[in-house]
Structure formats: structure tokens, C-alpha cells
Amino acid sequence: MRIAVDAMGGDHAPREVVEGAIRAAGEFGVEIILVGPASVIESELSKRVGRDSRIALVNAGQYLVEGEHPAYALRQKRDASILVATRMVKEGKADAVVSCGPTGGVVASALQVLGTLGGVSRPMFGGNFLGFAPRTVVIDMGGNVDCRPEMLLDFAVVGAVFARRMLDIPNPTVALLSTGAEKGKGNTQVLESYPLFERSGLNFIGNVEGCDIPSGKANVIVCDGFVGNILVKYTETLGRAVCSYLEDQLRTKLSSRELQALVDGVLAATNIVDVRGGDALLAVNGVVCKGHGRSLRQDVTKTIGRAKLAVERDLVGAIGKALAEVRDKLALPGAR
Amino acid sequence: MRIAVDAMGGDHAPREVVEGAIRAAGEFGVEIILVGPASVIESELSKRVGRDSRIALVNAGQYLVEGEHPAYALRQKRDASILVATRMVKEGKADAVVSCGPTGGVVASALQVLGTLGGVSRPMFGGNFLGFAPRTVVIDMGGNVDCRPEMLLDFAVVGAVFARRMLDIPNPTVALLSTGAEKGKGNTQVLESYPLFERSGLNFIGNVEGCDIPSGKANVIVCDGFVGNILVKYTETLGRAVCSYLEDQLRTKLSSRELQALVDGVLAATNIVDVRGGDALLAVNGVVCKGHGRSLRQDVTKTIGRAKLAVERDLVGAIGKALAEVRDKLALPGAR
């Protein structure tokens, strides 16, 4: 398996990305193609003794930086590392691409080069959300806002495939995130989506509330990306705030090793991306994994591990098939 | 000051409510009017030695129970304790009403008997949200969904009054909760609200993201009640999940007293309602404070304390005035 890695993506690129990619080659037995300015990457590689034959280099003279408008930057930088790496997937030269670069750039590259599955308009972000609820996927956590009911149904279908393929849950339960458990509670979006979910063939269990997320009441919790984006960002900083509080309170009461283990546990429970690595953009016609911008080498390694798993489990093929099936079943249009 | 207390509202009514109300009379020097079936309340009072002259009793033969449809139940039970207590405010026989009964019943009683200020359609739930951010008010956390931009502006106006009057913040900063900090990020609701906020005269600082809530980046964070309701319920159970985790991990490492203090601190930081007591329904033409259904005596006492503060600070008068002013300033219609 060959994984193209955007060597210039992330706050600690290229060093941490290169180091993390080299580790991944050893740990997972994958071939790594580092994509970025050859001289920069060579310089990183030259700091190491010896050279792993599983590490290749593909030159890309440009790269995106945080804060650029992604679509505009990609038009200006046709040789940007993320674009070059994504094209390798399109051309069959790599099985997946991994980047810790700006989200907008990764998404725009994926859209431009690979396109989406089932005619969905934008990639989705979804995955297991909390360490407290390791068998719960929240979707969409990304950029899809003002979603029509058909889009929420797409999230549900894709989330259910993710739960089956990536979490080994055979018949995942699916729920709509709402303000009350009863049918009829929620906003117009939820009320209109409910009947569509009922006849979707999914294992739909109705609405869940915010309080049901940590307990993992459903395997797939569906929400508009506006809500999901707020939830995921909120959770991450809330978890960090709790950890700071614990450090303050327990500094004199626990050994530094005990305290670190406790804080790591709380972070793992509240911020699964840091623990597990970044996951694939969903409903893209190819495996594109996005790690956190602040990824260190171990985070890069983990994200490459997620990309490998997505390839092995044929996540892309399964999502494409499931989206086509639900369109057939409900006689919905193919593209939206 | 006289506070009417729905003696039958809450999971632990009447005992905990009566006990909490008696404590409040002593602690805050307020007169308490216990409202409910006279025989039931007399029986509770008779268990005590002596009788506080500040405790009065008003008979109400009926009461709401959790799970009833509130509007329907109130039509059937014209003598329900929450209705009788709320009428006392309307008739000037009490300065505020406090209930830990079903939210729907408290809201419906407030709407029917007292009505709203500034023509808003439904009461708002707002208040300081997290112990980590004690100077941040999130509004709406209640039942207002599918809100038009004018409604979000109302939330902002009311939230700013709350911050000034209840938190002593002279010129509170106001922000829209969105998916990105930049103008132009968010859903249609946020995009359409932004220009209205800009010309509102409020101290508007733009958008904040989910990650900005725990850090208290704005004093007033405005969101649709769909988002706020999910956030508040989510936070509460997430905080409890963290506490269970801490109890598991630290049982053998801390004394039970140390552990309890730590857990109490985390709960306080993540679940401010339990610590501070329930707050007033906002934009209602009278002070109606809603405590948590699971309130114990100390929680009831605190909620009565919040009612007292709202009366002292003339929260209702200030909200009415501010809503009228913003309508004048922006030439908006009076009722929505």
C-alpha cells in the first residue's frame, strides 16, 4: 500500500510530518511518498542515518499556508503539495493521501481532484467523537450547513457505513440529534428528516438529545454540520479546560506521572482525534485523511494508520454503494 | 419580598421543596408562599418543630406531573400549583414564582398568565453557562428553534441585560456562535443576523466558535435554541461522565474528602445550574425561576436566591426597556 503524505501540511511541518511518516512505514509496513519541495524534504531526510527504502519523495514546489483562502490559493498554486499528493490518488499512484494542512485546502483539493460519491455536494466529516462513547459516530462535524433532509439522510447512510467498516458494528443504530427524544421535538430540519429516516431502511431509533451523546445512545448521531462543528470544537477545548483544572488541583496530591496519566485519560475521553489520529473525509471518491494542524509525529503516524485502515476496509467503495442503494430505495435524485 | 413556590414541582417535591423554601426564608429574609394541596403541605410542615412566620400556604388542589403535555394538562388542571403560583405574581400577591416542575408547564404557565415582553413569542432560557466561563451568558438554551435574525437579536439584547444586571458586567461583549470567526462563516441564520447585530448598538464583536465558549471569549454568546439546548444538555452529562471517570481513577489515590472536593469542582465548572440554582425565564413579564427537576433542598434554596436577585435588580423592567429600545433604533416591529 502506498500513502502520499503532504509533507508541508501542519503547524510542525515538515519535520514532524516526515518523522511521523517514517514511523508509519515501519509500524504499518506501508510505502510512504513524501510530497513537497524536494530540497526541503531531502534536508529533513539527510538528518537521519540511513534511508528506509519504503520512503519515496515526489517534488511539489508550492504549499498552502494557514489563513489563505483555499480555493483561491489552489488556483494560484497548481503545484501545491496537497494538490500534487491528491492527484497521485486520482492517478492510481497512491492508495490514500494524508495531510495535516489547512482543512479548507484539503477539502478543496479532494473536491477538485477526486470529487464526491453519490453526487453529494461536499465532503462530510464524521467519526467516533468521544472516548466516553467509542462506538458512537457523529456526522456531520464539518462544513455542511443549512442541510436539507436528504443531506441528513446522506450523513446517516455514510455514518452507518463508517460504523460498520471502521468500528465493526454490524447493524448500527442511527438517531437524529434534537431537542427532545419524542417524535415531533426539534426544529424544522429534524421534523422533516424524521419520516425520511423512518423509511430509509436504516436501523433508525428516533431522536437523541445532547445528554445522550456521552452515553453513546446511538451508534450514528446525525446533525447539521453547523451543530456538529460547534460540538466538536467545544468538546476539545472543554476537555483541555478540565485538564488544566485537574493539573492545578492535583499538582501537590499526585506524582507527576500519575497526573499525566490522568490528564491523558481525560483528553482521550474528550478528544478522540488526538488519540486516534485524523479520519478520512467522507463521501469523497478516494481516501483523504486529515490530521489536526497541531499534529506531532505520533499524531501523523496515527493518521496514516487510519488511512491504511480506510483503504483496507474499502470505506470508499462501501460508501458509494450505500449512497446508491438509498437513492434507489427512496427514489431520490442521484445528485445533491 | 414575597416568593411563591410551587411546592409540588420537582422529582423530590414536596419535601425537598418545602425544606429548601424554609431555608431560603431564613437565609435571604424573604417571605415564602408555598403553593400546593394544603393537606400535603401542612403534613410536611407539621414534621418540623415550630413554624416560621415568613412561611405562608396557598391551596392549589392540582399539580402537573412529568410527561404530561403541558398545554393540555394546564387546560385540564386550572388549579395546578404552578398556575396558581404564577397567578399570584400577575395579581401582585407575589414578587416572583419558583418551580422545579416540568419545564413545559412552567413555560406555558408563564406565557398564559404573565405573557412576554417586547412581543417576543416565547420565553428564552439564558444564563451563565460554564463555571470555566463565569462571565459568559449563552442564550437561547431553550425552546426557540428555527429563529429568524430578529429573534437572535432579541436574544442578544436580553442576554446583554442579563450580563449587566445579574453579572455586573457594564458593557458586555456580544457574539454570534458560528463555525468560523470570520464574517461570512456560518449558516444562513448567522449570515443574515450579522448585519443586524452590527447596527444594533450592542457591543458586538463578531462570531465566536465552539472552542471559544470555555474560554469566555464573549460575555453574551447568541445561538438558536436548537444549538443551545443541545449544548447545555451535552455539557451536563459530559461533566458527569468526567466525574465518574475521576472517581474510578482516583478512588485509591485521594481521600474520599479530597475526591469529593475535586468532583464538586469539576461539576461546578461544567454544570453551573446545579451550583448557582435555576435562573429566570427571560423576556417574561414577571420573574419566573425554574430549578432543575432533580433539585434537592439546597438547590431549591439557591433558585429562590436567584429569584430574589432578579427582583432586586429589576431584571424584567430592564429587559422590557432594552427590547423596546432596540425596536425603536432599528425600526423593527414590536411583536415577533
Side-chain angles (χ1 to χ4, degrees), chain B residues 288-305:
Chain B
V288 179
C289 277
K290 165 75 179 85
H292 212 295
R294 63 166 182 272
S295 289
L296 296 173
R297 56 193 66 185
Q298 64 273 21
D299 307 309
V300 174
T301 304
K302 286 177 202 161
T303 299
I304 292 171

Side-chain angles (χ1 to χ4, degrees), chain B residues 75-266:
Chain B
R75 274 198 299 276
Q76 304 298 311
K77 300 178 177 175
R78 298 306 301 166
D79 227 12
S81 54
I82 180 64
L83 263 182
V84 173
T86 309
R87 280 188 209 118
M88 296 191 70
V89 175
K90 177 72 179 177
E91 293 160 4
K93 294 174 187 162
D95 298 292
V97 55
V98 166
S99 177
C100 304
T103 306
V106 177
V107 170
S109 297
L111 260 175
Q112 281 181 23
V113 176
L114 299 168
T116 55
L117 298 164
V120 306
S121 54
R122 281 175 59 87
M124 306 163 192
F125 284 82
N128 36 337
F129 178 61
L130 280 178
F132 286 126
R135 289 166 63 80
T136 291
V137 174
V138 173
I139 183 168
D140 178 61
M141 306 191 288
N144 293 286
V145 302
D146 296 320
C147 298
R148 298 180 309 281
E150 295 77 16
M151 292 170 73
L152 291 196
L153 182 64
D154 283 346
F155 300 162
V157 168
V158 171
V161 173
F162 187 95
R164 280 196 297 271
R165 293 273 164 147
M166 302 291 278
L167 305 177
D168 297 311
I169 299 170
N171 186 23
T173 52
V174 173
L176 281 161
L177 184 58
S178 190
T179 53
E182 307 86 347
K183 184 174 180 172
K185 286 281 177 83
N187 59 9
T188 304
Q189 185 186 56
V190 168
L191 300 190
E192 291 181 355
S193 300
Y194 202 105
L196 202 59
F197 276 56
E198 284 182 309
R199 49 195 194 91
S200 65
L202 293 165
N203 186 7
F204 178 53
I205 60 166
N207 293 340
V208 295
E209 303 177 76
C211 48
D212 299 320
I213 302 174
S215 62
K217 195 169 173 185
N219 297 126
V220 180
I221 295 180
V222 174
C223 60
D224 190 286
F226 185 81
V227 177
N229 177 280
I230 288 168
L231 274 179
V232 69
K233 289 179 181 168
Y234 172 60
T235 304
E236 200 178 303
T237 48
L238 185 61
R240 289 181 188 278
V242 170
C243 290
S244 296
Y245 179 84
L246 293 175
E247 283 167 346
D248 274 358
Q249 297 293 312
L250 297 174
R251 192 161 287 135
T252 59
K253 297 196 174 99
L254 297 179
S255 73
S256 61
R257 202 168 140 186
E258 286 173 321
L259 184 53
Q260 189 59 49
L262 185 76
V263 162
D264 286 349
V266 172

Side-chain angles (χ1 to χ4, degrees), chain B residues 4-24 32-35 41 44-45 55 98-101 292-301 304:
Chain B
V5 175
D6 171 11
M8 303 308 287
D11 305 343
H12 306 290
R15 171 156 314 165
E16 294 295 317
V17 176
V18 170
E19 287 293 333
I22 291 171
R23 281 189 191 195
I32 297 288
I33 305 154
L34 294 168
V35 182
I41 299 175
E44 279 304 324
L45 291 172
I55 309 293
V98 166
S99 177
C100 304
H292 212 295
R294 63 166 182 272
S295 289
L296 296 173
R297 56 193 66 185
Q298 64 273 21
D299 307 309
V300 174
T301 304
I304 292 171

Side-chain angles (χ1 to χ4, degrees), chain A residues 62-81:
Chain A
Q62 299 165 301
Y63 51 92
L64 301 190
V65 293
E66 195 65 60
E68 289 179 303
H69 187 281
Y72 180 78
L74 288 179
R75 274 198 300 274
Q76 304 299 311
K77 300 179 178 174
R78 299 306 299 165
D79 226 13
S81 53

